[in-house]
């Protein structure tokens, strides 16, 4: 081996330590090593004070720096030389013996290269390498390099070497010496160059960090130690890259955000000067750049112990502004950050809340979804992390337009409920905070989407009352849950059980069809059942195909049918149901597939029909819980329920289950407990117990004689002296479960009929209820005896006499408990008349005619049948409602519907425009329920067109929802029932138009055929109905509607065929209807699918010689109807203001005073069957098409300004969807506030309304008011002129033998004097909601 020539010092002979021979290139490597070790020992033992030795060995020191040693190929030689050189620097400090800068550079680069030997800690030479490191670190030898011009090269090489050799086998001393060495260079130098800084920072980049964790840790500690010195250099680097955009200054420029994150985690003061630069970057025009900065800051603000938000408020506020960024990924990143922030920094929740609120209404579905995930994730970790507002945002999203968002919100709330309410993981306070969740989740069952309903059922079975619990625990959970639910949630839960029970019935009927011989009729019936079942499953289109396939499998596999029959059997237990479901799914799962949508659909069906909660064992457990509550040994109060409430709700729960699972109740133990309930003082408890007996007691008489003997006297007592509801249930119970019901009912009927006394109305109500229901259930036995009771007592003695004087406080309505007993008795007397007639179902005795005239007279007289002015206004409202409801109820029976005259129909229709808000509300709901069940004739749907005149927005909204529901029900019925095509005249929704036209032509307000205001009201009513009918142009229905109206113009009004004024009004309404159809449709000119048929009861047959082609609307009238003209502003802006409208027709109109918000968007609906909620809001269909029904954020595309280009990147969070207010058809009104009273206002309250000036008073609907002068002895004919048409509905008696004549009913005289007119007395409009 050839060694480089060694350079001898020029100034003298080299002196070696004693015993060390000369080291030359002539000796072997081993000998060189041996001699160098002795030299090392000598230098190691020397100290700085040995001046003689220093001078003596100076030539040797210079010799050791020669090329021979520095470039020696032997690593042991190089190591020993490096150790000598390190000691030489120590001994000769502070001056090095080497004066040449080049030599110093070579020496330090040589030493740096030797430090690589530190990498292998198991090397025999490691201790020498450690000694080398320790020596140069302790002496700070490298500080000599500061005098060199290119010292940076040495330092960079040193840093890179140290970072590369450090590993997890090094002890703490190695780390410490490395840190000392590097920190002295940084802190004692003139500054840190970018290359040197890069050598440190590169270890923080994720890729390098993962490769060498020890290098990362070393860099981390180094930066912390040198923060004061290096912070300026770091700030300069980031300024170059972030602000000036000079990415070429460093190879690490592309990792700038990763570096900031790591530096912040290491020591926030390192970035003191960098944070303002990030604020600048947050306002960049480049969306991707803003996204990168947002991602970085999200990590910095959200870090566990970060105080950045409090220390740098301007940056925090700037970051929050990015929640409204125009760039979707930026907003999404902000929302994701919020979850970590809420969990790590609860104190910032207040700042985040407002921004999350805006984002919960974001147009982007993904963002709304992530808002929910953010809040729920934090809530599941600790409920204290989320405030009520944040939970409220999740609550709102349960009504989102998008299924994915709704599902996430519902499931999130369900998980919170299970964690904090069911398992009580955070105590009572937490449970109370989210106690509303159970109600809200069940309210969602009101939504139209089948997906929503199925998810609520799943949530109920898994999160609210987990089906996998033991029976006792499961029923305890259900028992107390039911007791804590609000009324709407209870209705929804009841509806859920009802829907599941109906689906079970459908499947049972399908299985019954499989048992019958194959035939065309059987196949058609089977197809109908399959379609009905498919409607109860997600994605009905696919569900139909899968149900057909399932039906085919059922036909082929008898074992499968047996399992399904067992599953839906009334006696199936929950455990059996679980086995059946598993068995059915196992059979259908073959052959196994990765995804099997058919199997998934069948599972949906099985989950809905399987009894996972209720069986005989469950009912028994519920009854035991009820008994404990009665005995006072239950844990009611611990569960947050008062004992009385627990008993009442427990009975209500059992009552509901008695409808859906009656077989599970049949046990002596259960019935014994129910008998105890019958003896309790609580009226509701006893009533519910009777109803349970009625629903479940069909086998009591044959199998439980002891229960029967105890039950009968109790039922008799309740029918005679119980509450009205108890009496009704008792009569029905006797009729339902006993074989000798005729005897039992007679024992009740006879004593009650003999004891009727109108002078004691308080004791009259229960007998009236019992007698009415008895006569309805057993008409053959009791119809005749009832006739004399009706004629002599009900009409003559009760209805035609006012024994007491009502309260004259001016209220139009009062609570039920304030209604006078006499009026309550009269209301029940009217119901008795109806039940009696419904029981007979014939009009052979003409009793129905007399009853209808009586009811009509009551409506004409506004409820004061005797006209003695003794009855209070609130009592008159009750009687009007009862009379209108009675006519409507009778019309459900075909034999009575045929004899109801058009005048009587119109009178009952006007109840929906009653002056009392509650009368309108209750009557509309009664009509709607009967129509939905297809019990009322189609003409009654036309009544809803009058709701266009209602001044209260909620009433119009409700009417529109009723129309939507009824029309969809009828159309669906026609599709599902082929036989329905034969009854189209009574089913097809379009056939409501002739009835509506006739009804509006006879509207008491329609007095001046050419009055623009009246014509506009007619148009509003027509469009209220036609808008819903014309939503879809199915089978050219628009052309059919036009053809129908054209045909009406060729007939005459059957109510007064020879009266030209009556016919003129009919034709004017027809022209308005044609005007609306033509202006709102583009397909009206097409061929009508069929020739319309007109009801002969309302229109004469067309006369071939009569061709009516006249246009009854003037050009000016058409212009007004088309464009509209400014109307006076309504005075209905607030409730406590006077309303200048009289009588029952106070429907003033204003334009544009309501907002276009989604009706009932957050209020809870009143019936699951109502078509309410998210998809069909009254105004929601008219507002802008946002992704979600809430106020969406409008994305503004604004040209960036030069001075502040970034502000235009924000989404305007304040701007929400305004909707198309002009599409409101001029129906906007100011709705009244809740809690208003049906009262006249005191004089001091009669201030001008801020909405606008009052409109002139309109004449009242129907009968005029009585004279207001106390001393008046005669009725002023002038005061009667406001009647206009109601009195026609009360003709004189037909024969002296009829009831009305027997009762001497006073029928108001026809108006004679029509010349003199006097403004009728004002009546305050009731706006209470």
């Amino acid at each position: 081996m050839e060694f480089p020539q060694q350079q001898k010092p020029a100034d003298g002979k080299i002196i070696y330590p004693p015993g060390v021979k000369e080291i030359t290139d002539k000796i072997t490597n081993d000998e060189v090593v041996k001699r160098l070790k002795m030299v090392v020992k000598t230098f190691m033992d020397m100290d700085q004070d040995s001046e003689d030795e220093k001078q003596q060995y100076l030539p040797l020191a210079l010799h050791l720096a020669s090329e021979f040693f520095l470039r020696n190929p032997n690593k042991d030689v190089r190591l020993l030389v490096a150790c000598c050189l390190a000691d030489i620097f120590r001994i000769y400090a502070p001056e090095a013996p080497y004066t040449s800068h080049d030599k110093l550079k070579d020496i330090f680069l040589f030493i740096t290269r030797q430090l690589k030997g530190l990498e292998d800690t198991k090397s025999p030479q490691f201790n020498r390498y450690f000694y080398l490191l320790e020596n140069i670190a302790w002496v700070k030898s490298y500080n000599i390099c500061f005098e060199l011009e290119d010292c940076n090269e040495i330092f960079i090489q040193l840093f890179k070497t140290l970072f590369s050799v450090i590993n997890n086998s090094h002890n703490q001393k190695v780390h410490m010496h490395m840190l000392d060495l590097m920190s002295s260079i940084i802190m004692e130098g003139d500054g840190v160059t970018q290359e040197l800084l890069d050598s440190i920072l590169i270890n923080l980049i994720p890729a390098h960090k993962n490769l060498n964790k020890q290098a990362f840790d070393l860099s981390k500690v180094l930066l912390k130690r040198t923060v004061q010195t290096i912070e300026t250099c770091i700030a300069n680097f980031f300024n170059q890259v972030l602000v000036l955009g000079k990415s070429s200054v460093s190879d690490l420029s592309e990792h700038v955000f990763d570096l900031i994150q790591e530096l912040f985690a290491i020591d926030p003061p390192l970035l003191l000067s960098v944070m303002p630069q990030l604020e600048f970057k947050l306002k960049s025009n480049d969306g991707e750049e803003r996204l990168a900065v947002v991602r970085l800051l999200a990590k910095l603000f959200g870090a566990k112990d970060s105080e950045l938000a409090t220390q740098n408020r301007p940056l925090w506020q700037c970051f929050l502004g990015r929640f409204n960024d125009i760039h979707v990924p930026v907003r999404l990143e902000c929302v994701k950050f919020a979850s970590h922030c809420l969990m790590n920094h609860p104190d910032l929740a207040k700042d985040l809340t407002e921004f999350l609120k805006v984002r919960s209404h974001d147009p982007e579905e993904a963002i709304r979804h992530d808002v929910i995930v953010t809040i729920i994730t934090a809530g599941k970790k600790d409920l204290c992390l989320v405030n009520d507002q944040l939970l409220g945002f999740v609550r709102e999203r349960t009504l989102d337009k998008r299924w994915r968002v709704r599902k996430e919100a519902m499931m999130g709330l369900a998980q919170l409920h299970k964690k904090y309410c069911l398992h009580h993981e955070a105590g009572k306070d937490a449970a109370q905070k989210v106690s509303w969740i159970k109600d809200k989740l069940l309210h969602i069952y009101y939504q139209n989407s089948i997906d929503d309903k199925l998810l609520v059922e799943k949530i109920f079975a898994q999160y609210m009352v987990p089906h996998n619990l033991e029976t006792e625990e499961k029923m305890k959970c259900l028992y107390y849950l039911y007791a804590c639910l609000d009324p709407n949630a209870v209705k929804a839960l009841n509806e859920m059980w009802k829907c599941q029970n109906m689906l079970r019935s459908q499947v049972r009927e399908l299985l019954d069809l499989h048992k019958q011989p194959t035939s065309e009729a059987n196949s058609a019936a089977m197809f109908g059942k399959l379609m009905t079942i498919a409607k109860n499953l997600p994605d009905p289109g696919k569900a139909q195909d899968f149900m057909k396939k399932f039906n085919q499998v059922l036909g082929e596999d008898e074992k499968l049918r047996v399992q399904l029959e067992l599953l839906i059997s009334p006696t199936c237990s929950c455990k059996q149901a679980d086995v059946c479901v598993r068995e059915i799914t196992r059979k259908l799962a073959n052959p196994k597939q990765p995804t099997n949508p058919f199997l998934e659909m069948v599972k949906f069906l099985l989950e809905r029909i399987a009894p996972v909660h209720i069986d005989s064992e469950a009912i028994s457990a519920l009854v035991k819980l009820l008994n404990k509550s009665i005995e006072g040994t239950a844990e009611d109060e611990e569960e947050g329920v008062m004992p009385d409430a627990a008993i009442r709700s427990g009975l209500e729960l059992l009552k509901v289950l008695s409808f859906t699972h009656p077989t599970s109740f049949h046990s002596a133990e259960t019935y014994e407990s129910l008998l105890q309930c019958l003896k309790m003082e609580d009226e509701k408890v006893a009533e519910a117990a009777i109803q349970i007996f009625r629903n479940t007691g069909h086998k009591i008489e044959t199998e439980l004689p002891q229960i029967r003997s105890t039950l009968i006297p109790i039922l008799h007592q309740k029918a005679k002296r119980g509450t009205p509801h108890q009496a009704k249930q008792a009569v029905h119970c006797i009729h339902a479960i006993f074989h000798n019901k005729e005897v039992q009912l007679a024992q009740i009927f006879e004593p009650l009929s003999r004891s009727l006394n109108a002078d004691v109305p308080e004791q009259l109500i229960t007998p009236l209820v019992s007698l009415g229901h008895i006569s309805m259930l057993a008409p053959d036995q009791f119809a005749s005896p009832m006739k004399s009771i009706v004629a002599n007592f009900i009409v003559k003695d009760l209805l035609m006499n006012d024994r007491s004087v009502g309260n004259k406080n001016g209220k139009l309505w009062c609570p039920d408990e304030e209604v006078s007993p006499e009026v309550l008795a009269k209301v029940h007397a009217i119901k008795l008349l109806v039940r009696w007639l419904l029981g007979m179902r014939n009009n052979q005795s003409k009793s129905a005619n007399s009853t209808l005239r009586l009811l009509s007279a009551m409506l004409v007289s506004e409820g004061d049948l005797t006209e003695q002015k003794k009855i209070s206004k609130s009592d008159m409202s009750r009687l009007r409602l009862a009379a209108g409801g009675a006519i409507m109820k009778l019309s459900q029976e075909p034999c009575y519907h045929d004899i109801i005259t058009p005048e009587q129909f119109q009178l009952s229709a006007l109840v929906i425009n009653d002056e009392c808000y509650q009368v309108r509300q209750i009557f509309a709901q009664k009509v709607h329920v009967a129509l939905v069940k297809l019990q009322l004739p189609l003409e009654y749907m036309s009544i809803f067109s009058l709701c266009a005149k209602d001044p209260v927005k909620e009433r119009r909204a409700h009417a529109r929802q009723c129309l939507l529901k009824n029309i969809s029900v009828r159309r669906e019925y026609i599709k599902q029932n082929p036989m329905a095509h034969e009854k189209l005249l009574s089913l097809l929704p379009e056939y409501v138009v002739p009835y509506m036209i006739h009804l509006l032509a006879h509207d008491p307000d329609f007095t001046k055929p050419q009055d623009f205001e009246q014509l506009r009201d007619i148009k509003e009513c027509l469009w209220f109905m036609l808008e819903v009918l014309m939503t879809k142009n199915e089978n050219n229905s628009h052309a059919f509607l036009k053809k129908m109206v054209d045909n009406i113009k060729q007939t005459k009004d059957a109510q007064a065929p020879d009266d030209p004024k009556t016919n003129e009004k009919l034709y004017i309404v027809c022209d308005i209807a044609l005007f609306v159809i033509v202006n709102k449709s583009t397909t009206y000119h097409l061929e009508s699918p069929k020739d319309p048929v007109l009801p002969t009861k309302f229109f004469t047959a067309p006369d071939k010689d009569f061709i009516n082609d006249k246009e009854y609307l003037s050009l000016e009238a058409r212009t007004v109807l088309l464009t509209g003209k400014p109307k006076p502003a309504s005075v209905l802006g607030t409730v406590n203001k006077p309303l200048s409208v009289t009588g029952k027709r106070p429907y003033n109109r204003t334009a544009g005073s309501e907002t276009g918000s989604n009706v009932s968007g957050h209020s809870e609906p009143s019936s699951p069957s109502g078509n309410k909620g998210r998809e069909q809001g009254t105004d929601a269909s008219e507002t802008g098409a946002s992704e979600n029904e809430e106020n969406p954020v409008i994305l503004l595309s604004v040209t960036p300004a030069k001075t502040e280009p970034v502000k235009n990147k924000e989404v305007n969070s304040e701007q929400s969807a305004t909707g198309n207010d002009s599409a409101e058809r001029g129906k906007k009104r100011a709705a009244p506030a809740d809690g208003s009273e049906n009262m006249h206002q005191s004089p001091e309250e009669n201030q001008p309304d801020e909405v606008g000036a009052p409109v002139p008073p309109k004449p009242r609907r129907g009968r005029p008011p009585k004279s207001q002068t106390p001393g008046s002895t005669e009725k002023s004919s002038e005061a009667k002129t406001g009647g206009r048409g109601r009195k026609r509905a009360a003709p004189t008696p037909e024969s002296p033998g009829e009831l009305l004549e027997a009762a001497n009913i006073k029928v108001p005289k026809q108006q004679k004097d029509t010349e003199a007119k006097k403004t009728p007395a004002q009546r305050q409009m009731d706006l209470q909601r």
Side-chain angles (χ1 to χ4, degrees), residues 470-508:
E470 290 298 321
T471 303
E472 288 77 12
E473 189 64 28
K474 184 165 58 178
M475 288 303 102
K476 181 180 178 182
C477 185
L478 176 60
Y479 184 78
Y480 289 110
L481 173 74
Y482 201 84
C484 295
L485 294 176
D486 70 24
N488 284 325
V490 168
K491 288 180 184 177
L493 183 54
N494 296 347
E495 182 72 12
M496 185 181 85
W497 283 326
K498 176 184 168 186
C499 290
Q500 291 173 343
N501 192 49
M502 288 172 63
L503 189 57
R504 274 195 288 273
S505 300
Q506 297 289 343
V507 175
R508 191 177 296 116

Side-chain angles (χ1 to χ4, degrees), residues 754-770:
R754 289 196 301 270
S755 64
L756 294 174
N757 182 2
D759 293 326
V760 193
E762 297 87 353
Q763 300 175 10
L764 199 55
I765 297 166
T766 296
L768 289 176
V769 171
S770 293

Side-chain angles (χ1 to χ4, degrees), residues 977-987:
N977 296 275
M979 302 301 290
H981 289 278
E982 300 174 7
K983 302 178 181 177
L984 280 182
L985 187 60
S986 61
L987 287 172

